[in-house]
Amino acid sequence: MIRDKNISSSQYEALMVIFMFGTSLMFIGNIHGEEDIWISVLIAIVASMPFAFIYGKIAKSFPKMGLFDIFIKVYGKVLGKLLILAYSFYFFHLATTALRYMTEYIQVSSLPETPQYITAILIGLLAIYTINAGFSAFSTWAKVTLPVIILLIIVTILLGLNQFNYSYLMPILYNGIKPVMINAYSFLTLPFAETIVFLVFSDYVDDNKEITKVYIYSFLIAGFFLLANILRNVLLLGFPNVNIILFRSNFATSIITLSNFIQRIEIIVSSNMTLTGFAKATTYLYAASLGFIKLFNIKHHRGTLIILCSIMVVLSRFIFKSTMDMARFIDFYLYYVIPFQFVIPVLTLIIATIRKKSLKNNSEF
């Protein structure tokens, strides 16, 4: 596993945006608020800004450390290692979940006769190759790929314009504000606050002082195109169809036709979902492997990566019993991530700030 640090802010930002697209483009959970989903996304974007400052402040406070080193520095060896262990399992679990989302989507939408473990093995091998190539290569790939992904999203929207039914967005706030806020929290946790994983790689960035800006720009870019993607689905399908259909982006684009000449453009969505889903699973696996290597002081990095990837591939097949079980997991996920995305980062920043002020005051005497 190559550990290089020549990463520009733009590379870091590109990978973060693709990561946030990830499984969000194939999001299969229930939507609260229905026609007001666009309001929920806007609220989530605004609510994500404090976390951009929190995550950015943590990174800037420890310019030569990733998240796992920061835990040791702030909490000491014992508690710090416990947090490393917890986050490593957390990242590994979400890597496994992202892989299962991908294989499930591929089987349902494109390759129904192909066993999921075949697809999982191929994705796992590609993830191993990518991680061994190093974070620099991974982020460079993201910088090249992001414009293509965004272009493909724009193309599907433009091709669907003549079939949009704007009445699907009415009435506004018919069910009140509560379901809108529930949905906004859902979007905050998935995908915006998931970017806590990028603090693992914060010491890879050349200009650490730019990380807060990177988070802000990434949230705005990802939020805008996720909103565009969701509005496209709603304007094509309407409610309750959007909630009934599991892989709604794929189905929405499959009904787009242009003068009976251009049709079956869901292949564009499939390409985007494959690329972004791969980026998410690989990022989580990369972070988890670094965590276990740090925790147990492992010297054979490649062997560790191969073992973790093999376990991930096997568990991805059994982590959910069915596609509907995957959908129900989202409801549990909203509570499961609270300590990892919100509580511990905020607590880490508070403790670090107090300790720095204490050291500064002591040095004055």
Side-chain angles (χ1 to χ4, degrees):
M1 188 186 300
I2 299 173
R3 186 176 177 86
D4 44 8
K5 299 187 180 181
N6 299 319
I7 308 299
S8 67
S9 296
S10 60
Q11 289 174 300
Y12 196 67
E13 181 179 319
L15 183 56
M16 195 180 297
V17 172
I18 292 180
F19 171 89
M20 282 189 280
F21 285 159
T23 50
S24 301
L25 293 180
M26 63 177 82
F27 182 72
I28 62 174
N30 291 326
I31 293 177
H32 302 274
E34 299 192 344
E35 294 86 357
D36 301 316
I37 185 174
W38 61 276
I39 301 177
S40 297
V41 177
L42 292 176
I43 294 173
I45 294 172
V46 174
S48 70
M49 291 300 112
F51 293 94
F53 286 99
I54 292 170
Y55 296 167
K57 182 65 175 178
I58 291 174
K60 288 191 292 185
S61 298
F62 304 91
K64 296 182 180 180
M65 296 183 184
L67 182 63
F68 299 131
D69 291 318
I70 292 172
F71 283 152
I72 298 294
K73 183 73 174 179
V74 173
Y75 296 100
K77 287 187 177 181
V78 177
L79 186 54
K81 287 187 175 182
L82 286 175
L83 287 174
I84 293 174
L85 180 64
Y87 269 87
S88 297
F89 275 113
Y90 166 67
F91 293 147
F92 181 74
H93 177 229
L94 293 188
T96 306
T97 302
L99 179 61
R100 175 57 186 272
Y101 271 58
M102 284 186 66
T103 58
E104 190 81 19
Y105 170 75
I106 291 171
Q107 185 179 54
V108 170
S109 65
S110 305
L111 303 171
E113 301 299 324
T114 303
Q116 286 193 29
Y117 67 84
I118 297 295
T119 311
I121 290 172
L122 293 175
I123 295 172
L125 290 173
L126 187 57
I128 290 174
Y129 174 82
T130 302
I131 295 172
N132 278 327
F135 194 72
S136 178
F138 188 24
S139 57
T140 300
W141 168 84
K143 189 174 181 179
V144 173
T145 306
L146 180 60
V148 177
I149 293 173
I150 290 176
L151 177 62
L152 292 178
I153 293 175
I154 293 172
V155 167
T156 61
I157 293 171
L158 293 177
L159 292 177
L161 281 175
N162 66 324
Q163 293 176 242
F164 284 175
N165 187 338
Y166 296 97
S167 66
Y168 287 155
L169 295 178
M170 304 297 289
I172 296 177
L173 295 177
Y174 178 78
N175 296 309
I177 193 66
K178 183 178 179 180
V180 174
M181 297 306 295
I182 292 174
N183 214 33
Y185 171 70
S186 176
F187 283 114
L188 177 62
T189 60
L190 177 69
F192 297 109
E194 284 188 307
T195 53
I196 181 67
V197 68
F198 279 86
L199 288 183
V200 175
F201 311 104
S202 61
D203 57 329
Y204 284 65
V205 185
D206 282 335
D207 191 358
N208 191 272
K209 296 179 180 179
E210 297 292 319
I211 287 186
T212 300
K213 290 182 180 179
V214 169
Y215 266 100
I216 292 173
Y217 294 152
S218 298
F219 287 172
L220 291 175
I221 294 170
F224 175 80
F225 284 102
L226 285 173
L227 176 61
N229 184 77
I230 289 168
L231 283 175
R232 179 202 63 204
N233 296 344
V234 172
L235 291 173
L236 287 170
L237 300 176
F239 286 92
N241 294 333
V242 173
N243 261 340
I244 295 172
I245 299 166
L246 292 177
F247 299 109
R248 49 188 69 108
S249 290
N250 187 77
F251 188 84
T253 52
S254 70
I255 66 175
I256 294 176
T257 60
L258 190 61
S259 301
N260 294 322
F261 176 69
I262 297 177
Q263 53 186 330
R264 304 294 297 177
I265 66 168
E266 66 269 21
I267 185 64
I268 295 177
V269 172
S270 296
S271 300
N272 270 1
M273 288 184 176
T274 301
L275 291 171
T276 58
F278 166 75
K280 174 163 282 190
T282 302
T283 301
Y284 273 134
L285 179 62
Y286 204 149
S289 62
L290 290 178
F292 286 116
I293 288 168
K294 176 76 175 178
L295 185 64
F296 300 108
N297 195 25
I298 300 172
K299 296 181 180 180
H300 303 290
H301 295 180
R302 290 189 178 182
T304 303
L305 176 60
I306 292 172
I307 293 172
L308 285 176
C309 188
S310 299
I311 296 172
M312 179 184 72
V313 169
V314 173
L315 288 181
S316 69
R317 186 65 188 91
F318 302 102
I319 193 170
F320 299 118
K321 295 179 181 179
S322 64
T323 307
M324 295 307 300
D325 196 28
M326 290 171 53
R328 287 190 291 267
F329 170 72
I330 299 298
D331 295 327
F332 167 74
Y333 175 87
L334 300 180
Y335 301 97
Y336 165 57
V337 299
I338 290 175
F340 299 104
Q341 294 182 354
F342 307 133
V343 178
I344 296 175
V346 172
L347 188 62
T348 299
L349 181 59
I350 292 173
I351 294 174
T353 302
I354 292 174
R355 286 189 174 183
K356 283 195 171 186
K357 286 184 178 180
S358 178
L359 290 173
K360 184 178 179 180
N361 292 334
N362 291 335
S363 63
E364 292 177 354
F365 289 98

